[in-house]
Amino acid sequence: MAIRKCMGLRNSESPAWVALLWHTAVAGSYIFMRLRFSEILEELKSEGKTLPGYDRFGGRYKYLTQINLLLQVIFFTSAAFVDVLRIVGLSQKELRPVQRILDVVFTTLVFPMAMFIVAIFWPLFLYNRELIFPAILDQYLPSYINHFEHGAIAMFVLIEVLLVRHESSRFSLASAIILSVGTSYMCIVFYVAYMSDYWVYGILIMLKPFQRVLFFAAMFGLVFAVFTFGKLLNFTVWGQLATSVQSSPPLQRKKIR
């Protein structure tokens, strides 16, 4: 709560209309970027060209960045829809089930995935961009798309934590979700390599089999570190409000004399 006080924000949750404006703006940004990306792919296709790597087995959704963009669109669009329901008068009790789903999705997938991508992408990019984002892609993709997909995504989820309260997920539930999703994606990466002899990321080409296992183990560790950071940040911003939904005070019954 101290962070919100320092920024001149109230201790209570942000008004529904503020959350709606925010969620709509972010969802719109993601939709625009996805449409722009699809437009580039269509332009290349009409010229008889393809975006390197994207013509391989698995298409665009073998890349974690593209999966993340889809996840972010779904989350922020859904959040905006819930904001509308709140504005038109639905009670917190009525919205509780769907809000809880959004809280779980945000704290276990949306926030960790966005922060993980930024945390792993830029160090590798600065060390040797061929390991993660080959220079040849600059011939096809404007730089603003790269910065949006691998930079702005972190800014969006950090502002989301500041503006909108999300109840933190239990570590056991978060672990189950993260391990399930992470293992599924790892299987996709290995399946693509098996079917097409193509590694999704250049760094995997350089590694030996046992090194790949260690690499993915380290990635899982990084995801859990990012999840823990998000949980601590959420508590720092919202205090006890981040650990449980505050129920409305019970109605006082009039005493019958």
Side-chain angles (χ1 to χ4, degrees), residues 26-229:
V26 177
S29 299
Y30 276 113
I31 291 173
F32 170 78
M33 283 298 173
R34 283 182 57 80
L35 291 176
R36 178 62 185 131
F37 190 88
S38 297
E39 183 181 17
I40 292 175
L41 293 180
E42 288 300 320
E43 290 175 354
L44 291 174
K45 185 177 180 180
S46 64
E47 297 173 0
K49 302 177 182 179
T50 57
L51 193 63
Y54 284 76
D55 57 333
R56 298 295 189 111
F57 180 81
R60 65 195 289 183
Y61 291 109
K62 61 178 174 285
Y63 296 104
L64 186 61
T65 297
Q66 297 301 316
I67 296 175
N68 175 65
L69 292 178
L70 180 60
L71 173 66
Q72 303 289 334
V73 168
I74 294 174
F75 170 79
F76 282 101
T77 302
S78 301
F81 179 69
V82 172
D83 294 333
V84 172
L85 295 179
R86 187 173 288 111
I87 290 175
V88 299
L90 267 68
S91 67
Q92 177 176 303
K93 182 178 180 180
E94 294 172 312
L95 293 174
R96 169 62 177 160
V98 66
Q99 184 60 57
R100 181 55 187 150
I101 293 175
L102 288 178
D103 289 346
V104 171
V105 171
F106 179 77
T107 57
T108 63
L109 291 176
V110 173
F111 183 92
M113 190 177 295
M115 296 299 292
F116 169 79
I117 288 174
V118 174
I120 192 64
F121 177 85
W122 289 108
L124 287 176
F125 184 90
L126 294 175
Y127 173 71
N128 180 0
R129 64 174 300 174
E130 298 301 319
L131 300 177
I132 193 74
F133 194 83
I136 192 174
L137 293 177
D138 291 344
Q139 300 177 23
Y140 307 95
L141 297 176
S143 60
Y144 66 82
I145 290 183
N146 180 27
H147 288 286
F148 183 92
E149 293 180 343
H150 304 107
I153 56 175
M155 177 187 69
F156 289 151
V157 294
L158 288 172
I159 295 178
E160 173 73 10
V161 172
L162 180 63
L163 288 181
V164 182
R165 177 178 65 82
H166 291 285
E167 182 180 347
S168 296
S169 300
R170 301 188 309 275
F171 184 78
S172 57
L173 175 62
S175 298
I177 293 175
I178 291 173
L179 288 174
S180 298
V181 174
T183 301
S184 298
Y185 181 68
M186 184 174 64
C187 290
I188 291 175
V189 171
F190 280 99
Y191 184 67
V192 169
Y194 173 77
M195 293 296 294
S196 61
D197 193 28
Y198 173 77
W199 286 104
V200 176
Y201 305 106
I203 188 173
L204 296 174
I205 301 174
M206 302 174 56
L207 303 178
K208 297 178 180 179
F210 78 93
Q211 292 176 324
R212 293 185 186 123
V213 173
L214 294 178
F215 174 79
F216 277 104
M219 294 304 98
F220 273 108
L222 178 58
V223 173
F224 276 104
V226 170
F227 165 76
T228 303
F229 165 71

